[in-house]
Amino acid sequence: MITIPYLTALTTYFSYGLLFAFGQFREFFRKIFDWWRGSNLQGYAPICLGLEDFYIRRLYLRVQDCFGRPICSPPDAWFDVVERLSNDNNKTLKRTTKVSRCLNLGSYNYLGFAASDEYCTPRVIESLKKYSASTCSARVDGGTTSIHMELEECVANFVGKPAAIVTGMGYVTNSAILPVLIGKGGLIISDSLNHNSIVNGARGSGATIRVFQHNTPSHLEKVLREHIAEGQPRTHRPWKKIIVIVEGIYSMEGELCQLPEIVAICKKYKVYLYLDEAHSIGAVGKSGRGVCELLGVDTADVDIMMGTFTKSFGSCGGYIAGSKELIEYLKYSCPAHLYATSISPPAAQQIISAIKVILGEDGTSRGAQKLARIRENSNFFRSELQKMGFEVLGDNDSPVMPIMIYNPAKIPAFSRECLKQNVAVVIVGFPATPLLLARARICISAAHSREDLNIALEVFSKVGDLTGIKYFPAEPQKQQVEENRVKLE
């Protein structure tokens, strides 16, 4: 749970209140001008209306240059960012021919496979020549190749499950499969900070949804006990099915799931456990097998394992791994398998090759070196940021590091100042986070060298002082401590 300093919360509320007040003032005159000019809707209701439209026009457009920055190179440790200009106060942005070479601290390139790789790239090119860029068909029609069959077998073996099914998009893996797993008369108990794909998938299922406090097993058990005792609304009949949904690493918090405790609770109450490993598979664990390996949990105790290939494997798509009966059922009923175009063969080959590198099946130790490097880089960077006085969320070994910003004026200021010094960061605000909890989300990669990280730390220290987001006192440096000791002596 994030505890916001009182003064910080007060100034943040005041800033948003000021923006809202001026925005409403401008809206009043906008309506007058629109009425004066005449409307072209001719009886139609406005297609964009409400608080979301107000937020986009009066708040988001002011800072949209900090989002959606186009790049023109692979998302490696350093990449090329295309510069943009606006002549109408950020309402529209035009690309220029200028390019900035920036340190990449925003991409999910955890193991560095997004760039050209000596083992993966030649095999991907070969598969492109053999199978072309797309199957142009769903899996149940003409969209299954030998690569797809090999990929599903490879993924199942990697995560430690009997079988797996792959889809062409990570977001769809959650949003399309959850409605197949559970429906009306079922109960979904979801972590309060689960990803939007899980939220939409749960809503689309028709099941009853209840939320437990983020990463708090004791509250999960309380919610489970209460709703098992009460049963279904109105009828109080027993639930047809109960699924608990958690994430391995929470993408906006950088926290590791308290999986051992949650597994014990699910076993105690005989409910299914659905684990989303989008940000943890391939990135943590001795051999990259995710939070189960890192926290010593038997994969047999997790009923449904979900993950994506967009982070650690440098590709696209997602997977569900589980029992053979479950995967066979999904192949006959999941819309992402029945109707969507299958994952691109070159993308599938990239995943297979990346897994082989991670496991050392390429004949080298590069996979082990990548895993060791991302762990060292993550723990070093997190430790140094905390020493500087930044409020950093998350746990050790997690490559996701949110730096709390809070104030709306500091969100674009931090992003723009970093970009000026050739460091590209991702900033996150409402509605992706609660209104008061804006942050910069740093993603560390095995491709980063120690020199890269030191450059980023130097820039962050300067920009942090400039924007005033060092909310804690900085630790004294070793040299200062030694000088103080000499003076005392």
Side-chain angles (χ1 to χ4, degrees):
M1 188 68 70
I2 303 171
T3 304
I4 310 174
Y6 178 77
L7 183 61
T8 302
L10 188 65
T11 55
T12 303
Y13 271 126
F14 177 78
S15 298
Y16 274 114
L18 203 62
L19 284 168
F20 186 81
F22 275 99
Q24 290 292 351
F25 183 73
R26 295 183 69 183
E27 283 292 290
F28 174 75
F29 284 100
R30 178 174 179 261
K31 289 177 181 178
I32 293 176
F33 287 128
D34 285 349
W35 173 81
W36 181 263
R37 292 170 185 166
S39 175
N40 295 322
L41 292 174
Q42 297 178 352
Y44 287 93
I47 197 165
C48 300
L49 188 66
L51 187 60
E52 292 83 359
D53 181 51
F54 170 82
Y55 179 84
I56 290 168
R57 284 186 290 101
R58 299 304 177 199
L59 279 78
Y60 174 78
L61 289 183
R62 291 171 177 263
V63 298
Q64 72 161 328
D65 60 298
C66 300
F67 300 93
R69 287 171 177 152
I71 65 173
C72 56
S73 69
D76 204 359
W78 290 79
F79 61 1
D80 296 326
V81 178
V82 179
E83 295 183 15
R84 296 177 295 175
L85 292 174
S86 176
N87 298 318
D88 53 6
N89 297 318
N90 257 15
K91 288 182 180 178
T92 58
L93 295 169
K94 293 182 180 179
R95 293 190 300 273
T96 68
T97 55
K98 294 181 180 179
V99 171
S100 298
R101 188 70 175 168
C102 295
L103 178 60
N104 180 8
L105 293 177
S107 299
Y108 306 130
N109 184 25
Y110 294 147
L111 294 184
F113 283 117
S116 179
D117 183 83
E118 62 188 70
Y119 182 83
C120 300
T121 305
R123 286 159 179 79
V124 171
I125 294 171
E126 186 180 340
S127 68
L128 176 62
K129 292 176 181 177
K130 184 176 180 180
Y131 295 100
S132 83
S134 173
T135 62
C136 298
S137 185
R139 287 290 302 274
V140 295
D141 298 328
T144 298
T145 67
S146 58
I147 289 184
H148 293 91
M149 306 292 285
E150 183 185 355
L151 174 60
E152 289 177 340
E153 185 179 348
C154 185
V155 168
N157 292 334
F158 183 67
V159 301
K161 280 292 185 181
I165 183 174
V166 298
T167 63
M169 183 180 178
Y171 187 96
V172 168
T173 308
N174 279 327
S175 60
I177 282 179
L178 281 173
V180 178
L181 293 175
I182 192 168
K184 192 175 181 181
L187 174 65
I188 292 175
I189 300 182
S190 179
D191 188 287
S192 61
L193 296 182
N194 273 340
H195 191 263
N196 181 261
S197 60
I198 294 174
V199 173
N200 284 341
R203 288 173 178 170
S205 70
T208 300
I209 304 168
R210 293 294 179 267
V211 174
F212 68 95
Q213 290 173 8
H214 171 59
N215 218 10
T216 309
S218 58
H219 190 246
L220 167 63
E221 184 171 15
K222 180 183 177 183
V223 172
L224 260 174
R225 191 167 53 242
E226 287 178 359
H227 286 85
I228 289 173
E230 290 176 5
Q232 296 184 41
R234 292 185 296 179
T235 63
H236 301 291
R237 292 175 180 172
W239 299 99
K240 293 179 180 178
K241 193 188 300 180
I242 301 176
I243 298 179
V244 173
I245 306 178
V246 295
E247 295 185 34
I249 292 179
Y250 290 89
S251 59
M252 287 296 169
E253 317 302 313
E255 293 178 356
L256 294 167
C257 170
Q258 295 191 29
L259 194 59
E261 295 87 345
I262 291 172
V263 164
I265 292 168
C266 290
K267 278 184 168 182
K268 179 180 178 180
Y269 291 95
K270 303 293 188 291
V271 299
Y272 294 109
L273 177 60
Y274 183 109
L275 175 64
D276 179 339
E277 287 216 82
H279 287 266
S280 54
I281 192 67
V284 297
K286 186 178 180 181
S287 59
R289 287 182 165 93
V291 289
C292 288
E293 183 178 50
L294 181 68
L295 302 177
V297 173
D298 188 348
T299 55
D301 294 331
V302 181
D303 303 287
I304 305 141
M305 299 182 72
M306 177 270 176
T308 64
F309 304 121
T310 51
K311 281 79 178 177
S312 298
F313 306 99
S315 188
C316 62
Y319 70 85
I320 293 287
S323 65
K324 289 184 178 179
E325 294 78 13
L326 170 67
I327 300 306
E328 201 65 27
Y329 169 71
L330 291 176
K331 286 182 177 179
Y332 289 119
S333 55
C334 175
H337 186 81
L338 295 171
Y339 307 115
T341 302
S342 61
I343 187 172
S344 167
Q349 182 60 57
Q350 166 69 23
I351 301 159
I352 295 169
S353 301
I355 290 175
K356 287 182 177 180
V357 173
I358 292 169
L359 296 178
E361 294 178 8
D362 64 331
T364 70
S365 60
R366 289 196 306 123
Q369 291 171 8
K370 284 176 178 287
L371 289 166
R373 197 178 303 121
I374 190 175
R375 184 171 60 251
E376 291 169 6
N377 285 352
S378 300
N379 292 339
F380 166 76
F381 202 74
R382 183 185 303 279
S383 173
E384 292 301 309
L385 286 174
Q386 290 170 340
K387 287 177 184 177
M388 289 178 181
F390 290 102
E391 184 176 356
V392 185
L393 305 185
D395 298 317
N396 284 336
D397 290 349
S398 169
V400 182
M401 276 163 240
I403 300 174
M404 298 310 296
I405 296 178
Y406 299 119
N407 196 289
K410 296 178 181 180
I411 300 171
F414 182 79
S415 177
R416 289 165 182 161
E417 288 301 320
C418 285
L419 189 65
K420 285 179 184 177
Q421 302 188 51
N422 296 327
V423 174
V425 298
V426 169
I427 54 170
V428 188
F430 180 83
T433 65
L435 193 66
L436 293 184
L437 303 182
R439 63 200 69 181
R441 183 176 65 177
I442 308 304
C443 292
I444 297 299
S445 170
H448 289 132
S449 65
R450 185 56 63 91
E451 183 184 357
D452 293 336
L453 299 181
N454 285 328
I455 290 171
L457 288 168
E458 186 179 345
V459 170
F460 280 7
S461 182
K462 292 177 182 177
V463 176
D465 290 331
L466 182 66
T467 56
I469 61 171
K470 292 182 178 180
Y471 295 106
F472 297 107
E475 289 186 14
Q477 296 180 359
K478 289 183 180 179
Q479 186 178 356
Q480 291 178 343
V481 172
E482 289 174 0
E483 288 177 358
N484 290 337
R485 285 177 182 173
V486 170
K487 288 179 181 178
L488 288 171
E489 289 172 359

